[in-house]
Amino acid sequence: MITTRGGIVTGWGIAVPDKVVTNDDLSVTLDTNDAWIQERTGIRERRIGGTTSQLAIEAGLAALAKAGRRPDEIDAVILATTTPDQMVPATSATVQDGIGITGGAFDVNAACSGFVYALSVAHGLLAIGAERLLVIGAETLSRITDWDERGVAVLVGDGAGAVVLEAVDGPGQLLSWVLGADGSLRHLLKCDHGGYLYMDGKEIFRKAVRVVVDSAEQAIAEAGLTVDDIDLIVPHQANLRIITAACQRLGIPEEKAVVVIDRYGNTSSASIPLALVDALDTGRLEKGDHVLLTGFGGGMTWASAVLHWGG
Ligand code: ACO
């Protein structure tokens, strides 16, 4: 990558609704059970509630506090979401106002790949002169879920994760990025205006493993590294079996994968920052580590990035 100006993460935070919905709770109204959900997906419970902007504001404020930055020091807020509060305006406008940011605001919708897309775009802005950015992944998938449809209802959750990115001279933390899409597969995962989320779970599963592995291998190679150099993998949390399969095919021990799907379910754009913050808060990610972020989602889209933590 050619850049004279990079970025590093200086603050992070999350927000999840208080309401915990367990697998047993879902079994009351759906023909499903805790054993099936845990075995087939790895999910034990999820958080449900709030709005995308509320969760994004809470996560964003936590990230700013951690970075020791004021809202008026942020040049732009970039919100990755596939569940905006409204069609217009972008939910980032509500977030900008709610936090008191004086800089720009825009949404990125690349479904579950959204946070890695947003993070890549943010590094581009830093390279052309931005000083500080707030990047958030926030979702309320519960609002577009048909709670009578067990195929989707058992998978989804709500939440948000945010990071503050600050410019540094030199390459910074982002060693490589790979953004991909295949719009001819858009029928696999979709939600029409006013409708519910539809997904072809089996086909997405098959494709997901392939695009995660291919894009991750490309990102690792473009970073000038091998899989053995990767200290931590922060994958999109759609299904524990997808994470396991991807790790196996990449040749990365599964112990290096951050897993939060058991607690939060699939939170789309929020899942990678939720997992990243979990790794940071539990001391699993330290300065100098190489961390691989990798996601896939509706579109289909996929995205992988390798960070050298701390720059
Ligand atoms: N509870 C109990 N039984 C169920 C449930 C359920 N919730 N769902 C399906 N079953 C049954 C099926 O009817 C089937 O029964 P049968 O064998 O008698 O016919 C059996 O369980 C197996 O069903 P499959 O559909 O084959 O289950 P599979 O192992 O494929 O798991 C799942 C389904 C979890 C959806 C999986 O395919 C998956 O995770 N796919 C990927 C989803 C994904 O990644 N989505 C993209 C991101 S989502 C987003 O962007 C918002």
Side-chain angles (χ1 to χ4, degrees), residues 32 36 40 112 150 189 199 201-202 238-239 241 266 296:
T32 190
W36 189 95
R40 305 309 291 168
C112 309
R150 69 177 181 178
L189 182 64
M199 75 169 81
K202 266 193 187 320
N239 187 319
R241 290 186 294 137
N266 181 348
F296 64 91

Side-chain angles (χ1 to χ4, degrees), residues 240-291:
L240 184 58
R241 290 186 294 137
I242 295 178
I243 296 173
T244 302
C247 284
Q248 277 169 359
R249 291 194 200 178
L250 282 165
I252 296 179
E254 207 179 333
E255 305 83 72
K256 289 187 178 180
V258 184
V259 174
V260 294
I261 192 173
D262 53 331
R263 282 174 276 158
Y264 301 133
N266 181 348
T267 56
S268 192
S269 303
S271 86
I272 287 179
L274 281 172
L276 180 66
V277 172
D278 188 79
L280 286 159
D281 287 348
T282 55
R284 289 184 69 185
L285 182 53
E286 291 181 352
K287 192 167 170 23
D289 283 350
H290 290 117
V291 53

Side-chain angles (χ1 to χ4, degrees), residues 85-272:
D85 287 359
Q86 298 161 278
M87 285 297 301
V88 178
T91 304
S92 51
T94 310
V95 175
Q96 187 244 24
D97 183 43
I99 294 180
I101 290 169
T102 45
F106 62 98
D107 286 12
V108 168
N109 180 354
C112 309
S113 316
F115 185 77
V116 182
Y117 264 75
L119 202 67
S120 303
V121 168
H123 280 85
L125 287 175
L126 295 176
I128 59 170
E131 289 295 340
R132 278 167 228 103
L133 301 165
L134 180 61
V135 182
I136 309 174
E139 301 282 5
T140 43
L141 287 179
S142 66
R143 291 186 309 111
I144 58 166
T145 297
D146 178 353
W147 289 99
D148 294 326
E149 170 52 64
R150 69 177 181 178
V152 178
V154 301
L155 301 176
V156 300
D158 301 335
V163 296
V164 173
L165 274 181
E166 304 207 25
V168 292
D169 289 330
Q173 67 186 3
L174 185 70
L175 301 185
S176 64
W177 54 274
V178 175
L179 306 182
D182 181 351
S184 72
L185 299 176
R186 62 191 182 278
H187 57 281
L188 295 181
L189 182 64
K190 59 180 185 171
C191 179
D192 292 325
H193 289 296
Y196 291 128
L197 196 61
Y198 159 85
M199 75 169 81
D200 180 342
K202 266 193 187 320
E203 196 51 28
I204 291 175
F205 194 114
R206 260 193 293 272
K207 295 255 183 329
V209 176
R210 207 179 63 221
V211 298
V212 162
V213 170
D214 288 351
S215 67
E217 283 177 341
Q218 191 184 338
I220 292 167
E222 286 181 11
L225 303 174
T226 70
V227 284
D228 295 337
D229 298 316
I230 299 299
D231 299 295
L232 199 71
I233 169 169
V234 182
H236 171 46
Q237 315 276 312
N239 187 319
L240 184 58
R241 290 186 294 137
I242 295 178
I243 296 173
T244 302
C247 284
Q248 277 169 359
R249 291 194 200 178
L250 282 165
I252 296 179
E254 207 179 333
E255 305 83 72
K256 289 187 178 180
V258 184
V259 174
V260 294
I261 192 173
D262 53 331
R263 282 174 276 158
Y264 301 133
N266 181 348
T267 56
S268 192
S269 303
S271 86
I272 287 179

